[in-house]
Amino acid sequence: MKKFPSSLETSSEEFRSRKNRMLDLLTTLKIREKEVRQHYSEKALEKLRKRGKYPVREKIAKVLDPGTAFHEVGLFAAYDMYDDIPGGYPSAGTVIGVGTVSGRKAVIMANDPLVKSGAWVEMTCKKNLRAQELAMENRLPVIYMVDSAGVNLERQAEIFPDREHFGRIFRNNARMAAMGIPQISCVFGFCVAGGAYLPGMSSDLAMITEHSSMFLAGPFLVKAALGQEVDMETLGGATMHNHISGVADYQFDSEDEALQWIRDQMAAIGPAPETPFDRTSAEAPAYDPDELLGILPHSSSGTYDVREIIARMVDGSRLEEYKPHYGRTIVTAFARLGGFTVGIVANQGQAVKKEMPPDHLGRPQPPQIQMGNVIYSDSANKATHFIMLCNERRIPLIFLHDVTGFMVGKMAENGGIIQDGSQFVNAQANSVVPKLSVVIRNSFGAGNYAMCGKAYDPRLIFSWPTAKLAVMDGGIAADTVMLTKRNLSDEERAAFRQKLVEKYAEEASPIFTAARMIVDGIIDPRHTRDELINGLEMAAHNPDIPPYVTGVMRM
């Protein structure tokens, strides 16, 4: 593979302007991150520490190997979604992510007792199910740090009876046990009602004296239902469950002892299976990843070369483009990332020329100008073939989104864009190799589907602060809807259009989609490489890759 010959002018005024704009977006992002991470008051934190307990992210940090990263997923879950609840639901009341414990990667799920005593709402459930999904897809051990009052009873209808609700957690416990995935649970505080089944269905269970309590019904409910008077320790404390019921396996006197026990349990797990993917020694990019901040234009329709972005992520800034002269609104390339061989599918951020054949009289025809960020039939066909190659060769796929959709219009429809787009979606949807997605700028309509949006099971999916996810651009959507509003006055039409454009802007924003776990997080562009390498290392723990089959595809 050859080093990509960058033509980025990092000393230009345009580059500096683009970089300053990205830095402004990152400043806002960091303010929001701090708001979420430090949501509690000093008084609440002091009260927690007096009880011998650590705040949730500090607890996670203590169990990780020193100097290793915790790749948090869903930091912005539930952001601005529960304004009717005082204080909202920061991070949906739970922290999940992937970290290294005793030399092994593991998924960590930890309730935050400073968010409504760790009680669950709909987004809490969605987030914890996402953690279990990560564990099952990648065959990673799970560490549960339980400290929850159970379901938020005032919102039970949004979390109890449906397929992806609370009960799915325990179904997954059972499925993971059958898959041989270790599940290590420690109850650090409350563990109430149906929530008790999560640690109860784990491989190992520890409790902490005078801190932990597990029961299907607490003292108040027992009193109401049976008339029995019983305190929490007698009903379901650590001593009772270790000495009498036998529900728990270990008992400790402090959180520090329990955290060390978790590390010891992880150390006792056998070696990870041999990776099914090719990997060599990693190499840093030849170009400075800090330059990623100055590539994207201010406008969502401004132009840039996506290969400049790829070159600042991949090892040695080397890539080998597949069909570089054909279907050029999509870049397909082989590269190495963290030593792994990867296939990259990326939407091109600039218009390209398509050479046209002579007409029926043999006269030369001018080239066709194809808009960047749009998927044409030729680019769809190229991506389809490339995805099939990567599946044949067991090469993980990385998708970099900046797509406004598939080409429309008479010429596109006559050329069979529906058929070509369907093949693209079919090949991608049936991929058996791991897929990782990053939304760089736009991800609209069926373009989101073809480029492995959330509905297509990427192992991880992230947004840059510049990302927009929606069925289409807000201005185009508004103009389309306005064609049906013939009875409105000019003033009413203008007001209606503005309101719809603003609605789209809010709902397409990265913070809106991250709050609803449509993406796993919003990341600094400079951290993209690290997050993708983490995703590849996760995926390497699962050696099971079934045969690649697409079924019938319309040709």
Side-chain angles (χ1 to χ4, degrees), residues 86-98:
Y89 248 83
S91 285
T94 186
V95 177
I96 69 170
V98 178

Side-chain angles (χ1 to χ4, degrees), residues 233-245:
E233 279 296 310
T234 305
L235 182 64
T239 300
M240 192 285 288
H241 279 307
N242 275 274
H243 292 254
I244 300 175
S245 74

Side-chain angles (χ1 to χ4, degrees), residues 145-190:
M145 297 180 175
V146 184
D147 196 341
S148 171
V151 170
N152 184 321
L153 295 180
E154 296 180 43
R155 310 182 79 98
Q156 66 84 28
E158 68 185 37
I159 190 174
F160 172 65
D162 208 348
R163 183 177 184 272
E164 300 296 327
H165 281 178
F166 202 79
R168 191 77 170 183
I169 299 285
F170 317 131
R171 174 264 191 191
N172 288 347
N173 285 135
R175 291 292 299 274
M176 282 189 283
M179 294 164 68
I181 296 174
Q183 300 176 74
I184 301 165
S185 283
C186 183
V187 180
F188 287 85
F190 291 120

Side-chain angles (χ1 to χ4, degrees), residues 42-56:
E42 286 299 320
K43 183 178 179 180
L45 182 58
E46 181 183 357
K47 184 178 178 182
L48 188 76
R49 292 193 186 281
K50 282 184 176 179
R51 292 164 54 201
K53 295 168 68 72
Y54 295 112
V56 62

